[in-house]
Amino acid sequence: RPTTCFISPILNSCTAATTSGSSLPSQRWQITNMSSSSSSSQWNESPTSTSEEQTLAKSLSIWPLDTYNVNLLNEVRHKQYTNPNPPLPIYDLVVIGAGAGGLVSSRQAARRGAKSCMISAELAGGDCLNAGCVPSKALLRCAKLVREAKKIVVQDNEYGISVTNSGKTSDDDNANQMNVSVDFPKIMERMRKLRAHIAPVDGHARGDSLGTQTFQGRGVFTSPSTIEVVEHGQQLGAESNPILHFRKAVIATGGRPFVPDNIPGLKEAPYTTNLSLFNLQQLPKRMVVLGAGVVALEMAQAF
């Protein structure tokens, strides 16, 4: 099947706020007990990674488990993570979601003296780091370079640039045989390298250093002023789940790509979304982009 269909997300982020009780403090707090425990176990690269690690990585839409993706996961989705215990008696701000909205809300609140925490269900950094802004710009940079390279190998190009081939210039007959090839796996490896390099900015340790706690799990409102963090592998109501008391809360859970169900044949086609697009290892021969948002426009241009 040579054709690949890319489905763009219908929205990048969705942020709403709910309040309970008084406003955030106007003076900076002397915050204690704000550091969370680090991971007790690191992710492993293939082929030494376990089947459990591979299944979890694929469910998070991060693949393959090479050095760069392992470094990314060790920053934004610890394999084994101990949530802060005990939580603070009350938080000025609790943020559900660890994408751009969640990171900015929780960290800026902490910088201003609030006792804040962030709940991360999947990957800290959200779409921007993992499946949007950062990887898309890496691909666009390579696409632009390919385009420029194709321009300069043309004889008598308008830029006045000659390309040497076996000691001869583009004015020679051999210039007609010159072409620009694309090593797609290498391009994707570069993207993963850059993404992993930026990941610490959105990582859990960075949040700790700024004075905001990070909880891994799914946030569920259990009252107008409490949130239960359903830890991975646990059920709602489990005794080990942290209960967070808050004055204000921000819902920054973002958006998901929507796969239309009214397009005949789409479900049978080898389609991808922005969540899995950046895991591709082979360049598709043809691609149809459904959607006209930011990521859709960028990928239509890049590919």
Side-chain angles (χ1 to χ4, degrees):
R1 298 180 181 177
T3 303
T4 294
C5 181
F6 167 59
I7 302 173
S8 175
I10 56 175
L11 70 161
N12 287 329
S13 63
C14 175
T15 304
T18 177
T19 63
S20 174
S22 60
S23 301
L24 292 175
S26 58
Q27 297 181 346
R28 183 166 184 82
W29 290 84
Q30 296 298 320
I31 300 175
T32 58
N33 192 30
M34 290 297 289
S35 61
S36 58
S37 300
S38 61
S39 172
S40 60
S41 177
Q42 300 288 305
W43 288 79
N44 296 301
E45 298 177 38
S46 297
T48 59
S49 58
T50 65
S51 59
E52 205 173 24
E53 287 178 306
Q54 295 174 16
T55 299
L56 179 56
K58 289 179 179 178
S59 72
L60 294 168
S61 298
I62 298 295
W63 193 257
L65 275 180
D66 61 357
T67 299
Y68 303 122
N69 276 343
V70 163
N71 290 341
L72 169 74
L73 289 169
N74 282 333
E75 289 290 342
V76 301
R77 175 55 166 87
H78 296 189
K79 188 177 67 172
Q80 293 180 1
Y81 185 78
T82 303
N83 283 321
N85 186 30
L88 297 182
I90 188 167
Y91 292 90
D92 298 305
L93 184 71
V94 172
V95 181
I96 301 179
L103 289 166
V104 171
S105 299
S106 61
R107 294 179 179 185
Q108 289 300 327
R111 283 186 171 120
R112 285 155 178 78
K115 298 178 181 179
S116 70
C117 69
M118 180 183 71
I119 303 172
S120 177
E122 295 183 357
L123 300 170
D127 272 3
C128 187
L129 173 66
N130 303 290
C133 317
V134 172
S136 70
K137 301 307 181 295
L139 295 192
L140 284 174
R141 176 66 183 92
C142 292
K144 181 178 181 180
L145 191 61
V146 171
R147 182 188 180 203
E148 297 301 314
K150 288 182 176 180
K151 287 182 178 179
I152 66 171
V153 298
V154 175
Q155 293 186 31
D156 300 322
N157 62 71
E158 62 180 304
Y159 304 101
I161 300 175
S162 297
V163 179
T164 300
N165 181 24
S166 301
K168 300 179 181 180
T169 65
S170 58
D171 294 329
D172 297 306
D173 294 338
N174 285 347
N176 294 327
Q177 302 175 4
M178 298 180 67
N179 59 72
V180 177
S181 60
V182 172
D183 186 344
F184 188 71
K186 192 71 174 179
I187 289 174
M188 299 303 286
E189 181 183 26
R190 175 181 178 272
M191 178 275 296
R192 296 193 299 273
K193 177 181 178 181
L194 294 174
R195 184 170 62 180
H197 179 71
I198 295 172
V201 176
D202 293 343
H204 297 353
R206 175 63 173 166
D208 289 345
S209 70
L210 295 174
T212 184
Q213 292 181 330
T214 299
F215 290 83
Q216 273 193 185
R218 181 169 56 91
V220 178
F221 286 94
T222 52
S223 82
S225 61
T226 57
I227 293 174
E228 179 177 338
V229 181
V230 183
E231 296 182 323
H232 298 298
Q234 298 293 335
Q235 300 293 322
L236 181 65
E239 289 186 10
S240 61
N241 291 339
I243 304 297
L244 311 181
H245 298 264
F246 66 90
R247 291 189 173 93
K248 292 180 179 291
V250 171
I251 303 172
T253 51
R256 289 280 182 174
F258 174 70
V259 181
D261 56 6
N262 59 348
I263 300 179
L266 177 60
K267 291 184 178 180
E268 291 75 33
Y271 72 82
T272 182
T273 71
N274 70 306
L275 297 181
S276 53
L277 175 73
F278 300 107
N279 296 335
L280 290 177
Q281 293 299 294
Q282 293 184 338
L283 179 65
K285 294 181 179 180
R286 292 184 293 274
M287 178 178 286
V288 174
V289 178
L290 302 181
V294 175
V295 179
L297 293 175
E298 288 180 333
M299 292 304 95
Q301 179 183 351
F303 280 88

